[in-house]
Amino acid sequence: MNHLDDLLQKLSKVKQTANGWTALCPSHSDANRSLSIANKNGKILLNCFAGCDVKNIVGAIGLQTSDLFEANTNGLYVSAPAKAKTIAAIYEYFDANGVLGYENVRYSNKTFTQRRPDGKGGYIYNLQGIDRIPYRLPELIDAIKNGINEIWLCEGEKDAESVRSLGFTASSFKNWTNDFNQYVKTAHVVLFSDHDTAGQKQAADAANILSGECLSVKVIDLFDGEPLLNKNGKDITDYIQDALANGEDKDGIAERLCQIVEGAEVWTATQTTGQAASLSDNLFTLRPANEWIMDAKTRPIPKTLFDEFWFENELCILFADTGKGKSILAVQIGESIASGQAIKGFTQTALTQKVLYFDFELSDKQFESRYSEKPANGDYHTNHFVFSPNLFRLEINPDADLPQSIKFEDFLIQSIEDRLKETGAKVLILDNITYLRSDTERAKDALPLMKELKRLKTQYDLSLLALAHTPKRDLSRPITVNDLSGSKMLSNFADSIFAIGESQKDHIIRYLKQIKTRSSETIYHADNVCICQIEKPSNFLQFQFLNFGKEKEHLLEVSQKDKDALIQKAHDLHSQGKTQREIANELSVSLGKVNKMLKTILVKTATP
């Protein structure tokens, strides 16, 4: 066995590619084969796209870095950067107690990497499982505590340092989240955007998150009026340096900036800034491919929320026919995420987190019935299941005052958005999607709904599971994306889709099948569906994993005699004046199949 074979055997889910191999990185909780392995000129090159340090990678598989570099004797090497780079700046992120959480390192080639202390004097080059915090957080807290109620936010740490050099309290609004709002609730917040479309969009996104959460928000472009670039436009650091080069002192620059801030208008939600107002509705964001990769590298790889079916930061759709257990499984998934306990038989790598479950289907009493026990001849349910405190259920308030000026569906989306801001939750389950728009089977109705859900997902960094319905379908055929109501528009916008099928051999058996995935390979396909049964062993109605199987084993078997009889029945109903939709409902088949059957002419051969 050579050293490459030995290395590959130590890794999990190894897959050969055109350039070598990929595998799960052993240094972090990996679900997407982040580690690449190449063998070039007798050297084995390792690279983790999540940014894991080589020391941690080899250590996780029982090797040491020194072993790799002594590999002149055994052929094992670790790749080094093709071009040397030096550290230009280190921006430290301290938590509210002044403890260093992580660092953002800027290099001479203008690239960045994040790292965190490993507790041994070194660093781990990823932020897996680390809570993000605002830059210069202790200073923000001290400023508010000491009565300074104006905070200036810039697009990055370098600009924040430039502002701090003038004596102001400053931080960065880049990647600002709802969780950060708590630190500036009693402050007037000013955001200085870079003078380019990308920077102004980032400022607008941050301002919309802050709007209504602090005393006021203002967004300022110091170079408004000059030609606007798509990227790499001037920023507040350029403004300060230009002024210093012209002989102005820092006190004069600070005074002029205060005057600009005082004269700026207060931001209102969904507003756009300066020249970007005419460009903010552009459909596409134009950037070199390498810039997309560099930005993506700074973000951790999404973890699994429900095995390979649903990953973090995905808009996922779960669909099935009525009564097949969509809500049962969705509540079970929500509880597993909220409690951090994976459903037996399925993997979950995401951390425990808050979940909002919007229930448009069940009453509170029906919900109670599913998650408690009912004694024989008892009037009340007992032994109620105790859910995780991180799981929140929401249902429509029948006494709520509904505005007359906007459509109910639009008001519903706005109400969902308000609850997101209120709770800071990042996981959202909608049961079900048809309640948000009255007719998702038609593309013109499904399109605006999916745009709204996509907007919420992007703006609030959400993981979103939406339950959907399937019309009557042919139970003898495998489930496909065409069985999803409004399939084209819903599926185009979804990141992942999976479905529940009912076994036609045993009606207490269900199977789960992946229909679409972007974050991983399709594992649970027609030849490897997850077989489950719905049971309630005590006080929790749930899907219980049984094994894996083939979908065809659970489909309806139809003989030619049955097919002929069904066609004849369709013709008989049509002769009675039934519409094709009425025939489809009565025969429990799709509308398309009815159309085909009505075009079929039965040829009866008489037997002499």
Side-chain angles (χ1 to χ4, degrees):
M1 178 183 297
N2 62 38
H3 296 290
L4 178 60
D5 291 336
D6 185 44
L7 174 69
L8 294 176
Q9 284 192 8
K10 293 177 181 291
L11 300 172
S12 299
K13 291 193 176 181
V14 176
K15 180 180 180 181
Q16 190 162 11
T17 67
N19 299 316
W21 298 264
T22 60
L24 298 184
C25 176
S27 180
H28 72 279
S29 181
D30 193 5
N32 297 310
R33 294 195 179 97
S34 302
L35 182 66
S36 70
I37 308 103
N39 188 13
K40 296 183 179 179
N41 301 321
K43 300 177 182 179
I44 297 174
L45 309 178
L46 306 177
N47 180 43
C48 175
F49 292 103
C52 290
D53 187 75
V54 169
K55 178 181 178 182
N56 296 328
I57 296 174
V58 296
I61 55 176
L63 298 174
Q64 297 180 10
T65 305
S66 58
D67 296 331
L68 303 182
F69 282 102
E70 290 173 0
N72 288 325
T73 59
N74 61 25
L76 189 60
Y77 288 81
V78 178
S79 62
K83 194 172 184 180
K85 59 183 180 181
T86 58
I87 293 177
I90 299 175
Y91 302 110
E92 298 174 315
Y93 281 72
F94 294 90
D95 66 17
N97 297 316
V99 177
L100 178 63
Y102 54 92
E103 297 175 345
N104 195 17
V105 182
R106 178 164 60 89
Y107 294 99
S108 54
N109 62 356
K110 297 184 179 180
T111 61
F112 288 82
T113 189
Q114 283 73 42
R115 67 188 189 185
R116 53 193 167 101
D118 64 3
K120 303 176 183 178
Y123 295 96
I124 299 172
Y125 282 82
N126 66 62
L127 300 184
Q128 294 288 333
I130 299 297
D131 292 331
R132 302 302 179 92
I133 48 181
Y135 183 58
R136 296 283 182 183
L137 177 57
E139 293 182 19
L140 297 185
I141 294 174
D142 287 342
I144 298 298
K145 183 178 179 180
N146 294 322
I148 299 174
N149 67 347
E150 187 167 275
I151 304 296
W152 289 11
L153 303 180
C154 309
E155 185 170 328
E157 301 98 332
K158 180 191 72 172
D159 294 335
E161 292 302 309
S162 297
V163 171
R164 289 181 67 252
S165 72
L166 301 181
F168 298 106
T169 302
S171 182
S172 169
F173 64 74
K174 195 167 186 177
N175 299 319
W176 192 269
T177 71
N178 288 279
D179 293 337
F180 295 176
N181 289 343
Q182 61 182 303
Y183 303 113
V184 294
K185 281 186 176 295
T186 59
H188 296 279
V189 179
V190 182
L191 290 80
F192 289 91
S193 71
D194 287 8
H195 188 63
D196 52 48
T197 55
Q200 291 195 350
K201 182 183 184 303
Q202 286 189 4
D205 289 343
N208 284 331
I209 293 174
L210 284 157
S211 183
E213 299 296 320
C214 55
L215 297 182
S216 70
V217 180
K218 292 184 177 181
V219 179
I220 296 172
D221 179 355
L222 293 170
F223 298 92
D224 194 16
E226 295 186 13
L228 191 71
L229 301 177
N230 185 61
K231 193 170 177 62
N232 297 323
K234 292 183 178 180
D235 53 35
I236 193 169
T237 297
D238 296 318
Y239 184 91
I240 294 171
Q241 290 178 347
D242 288 347
L244 290 172
N246 290 329
E248 292 187 57
D249 60 27
K250 289 186 176 181
D251 289 342
I253 300 171
E255 183 177 350
R256 188 166 71 252
L257 285 173
C258 287
Q259 292 172 353
I260 293 173
V261 170
E262 185 177 352
E265 295 181 357
V266 174
W267 178 272
T268 56
T270 71
Q271 184 179 323
T272 53
T273 67
Q275 294 180 2
S278 61
L279 301 172
S280 62
D281 291 333
N282 283 352
L283 181 61
F284 298 104
T285 300
L286 176 66
R287 300 174 63 188
N290 288 329
E291 289 187 7
W292 290 105
I293 296 296
M294 291 305 299
D295 279 359
K297 284 174 66 176
T298 66
R299 299 189 298 275
I301 295 174
K303 298 180 181 180
T304 58
L305 292 166
F306 179 52
D307 212 285
E308 301 290 318
F309 295 105
W310 183 25
F311 286 78
E312 285 182 321
N313 307 123
E314 281 191 344
L315 169 51
C316 177
I317 293 177
L318 163 60
F319 74 90
D321 200 354
T322 302
K324 300 302 182 271
K326 295 189 296 292
S327 299
I328 296 170
L329 181 57
V331 171
Q332 192 174 359
I333 293 172
E335 170 62 14
S336 72
I337 297 169
S339 66
Q341 300 295 317
I343 299 172
K344 187 175 181 180
F346 300 93
T347 61
Q348 177 189 313
T349 59
L351 300 176
T352 301
Q353 53 193 297
K354 194 178 295 181
V355 179
L356 299 188
Y357 189 101
F358 288 84
D359 193 342
F360 304 126
E361 294 286 323
L362 301 180
S363 68
D364 58 353
K365 205 65 183 173
Q366 291 167 333
F367 186 78
E368 178 201 19
S369 177
R370 289 186 173 186
Y371 304 105
S372 61
E373 293 181 328
K374 183 180 182 302
N377 303 319
D379 293 329
Y380 297 94
H381 293 88
T382 62
N383 188 27
H384 295 77
F385 179 80
V386 179
F387 285 92
S388 164
N390 286 321
L391 179 63
F392 294 82
R393 179 179 176 272
L394 302 90
E395 65 176 46
I396 295 293
N397 176 11
D399 299 322
D401 293 327
L402 303 180
Q404 302 297 318
S405 56
I406 61 175
K407 293 181 180 179
F408 172 71
E409 290 92 342
D410 296 332
F411 181 62
L412 189 60
I413 290 290
Q414 181 59 54
S415 298
I416 291 174
E417 189 168 358
D418 290 342
R419 299 292 77 76
L420 288 172
K421 293 179 181 178
E422 175 187 338
T423 62
K426 297 298 182 184
V427 179
L428 189 66
I429 300 177
L430 298 172
D431 184 6
N432 69 57
I433 201 171
T434 55
Y435 199 90
L436 304 182
R437 283 292 188 275
S438 56
D439 192 352
T440 56
E441 292 189 33
R442 295 183 300 181
K444 73 179 186 65
D445 294 299
L447 177 60
L449 168 61
M450 296 308 292
K451 281 185 174 180
E452 282 296 292
L453 294 182
K454 200 80 171 179
R455 177 186 67 80
L456 290 177
K457 188 202 84 164
T458 302
Q459 183 170 337
Y460 297 100
D461 194 27
L462 299 179
S463 306
L464 200 155
L465 177 65
L467 277 57
H469 180 65
T470 177
K472 293 291 185 180
R473 68 178 197 89
D474 187 344
L475 300 178
S476 65
R477 300 178 63 83
I479 301 174
T480 71
V481 70
N482 293 326
D483 294 313
L484 172 62
S485 294
S487 59
K488 281 296 179 184
M489 285 304 169
L490 295 183
S491 63
N492 286 347
F493 277 84
D495 298 301
S496 55
I497 304 174
F498 68 105
I500 301 173
E502 180 183 66
S503 173
Q504 299 305 301
K505 307 297 174 62
D506 186 342
H507 291 294
I508 69 168
I509 299 298
R510 303 288 189 270
Y511 64 86
L512 306 183
K513 179 183 180 182
Q514 280 181 289
I515 305 299
K516 175 183 179 180
T517 179
R518 288 176 175 164
S519 296
S520 67
E521 296 179 89
T522 301
I523 295 177
Y524 303 119
H525 43 70
D527 290 329
N528 188 46
V529 295
C530 295
I531 309 299
C532 306
Q533 69 180 13
I534 297 177
E535 66 167 12
K536 188 178 181 183
S538 176
N539 57 1
F540 191 87
L541 192 59
Q542 60 187 273
F543 272 60
Q544 182 187 45
F545 174 78
L546 298 177
N547 50 42
F548 300 101
K550 297 181 182 295
E551 184 180 20
K552 65 181 181 181
E553 298 170 351
H554 299 275
L555 299 178
L556 182 66
E557 295 182 1
V558 182
S559 66
Q560 187 59 50
K561 181 179 179 181
D562 293 333
K563 292 179 182 179
D564 291 343
L566 192 65
I567 293 172
Q568 184 61 57
K569 181 66 173 177
H571 278 273
D572 292 343
L573 292 172
H574 183 64
S575 300
Q576 297 170 17
K578 299 279 189 179
T579 66
Q580 291 189 19
R581 188 172 295 278
E582 289 172 336
I583 296 171
N585 289 334
E586 185 163 340
L587 299 183
S588 296
V589 297
S590 68
L591 198 60
K593 184 165 184 176
V594 171
N595 185 269
K596 290 180 181 179
M597 288 193 296
L598 294 181
K599 293 179 180 178
T600 301
I601 301 176
L602 291 178
V603 178
K604 297 182 179 180
T605 304
T607 302

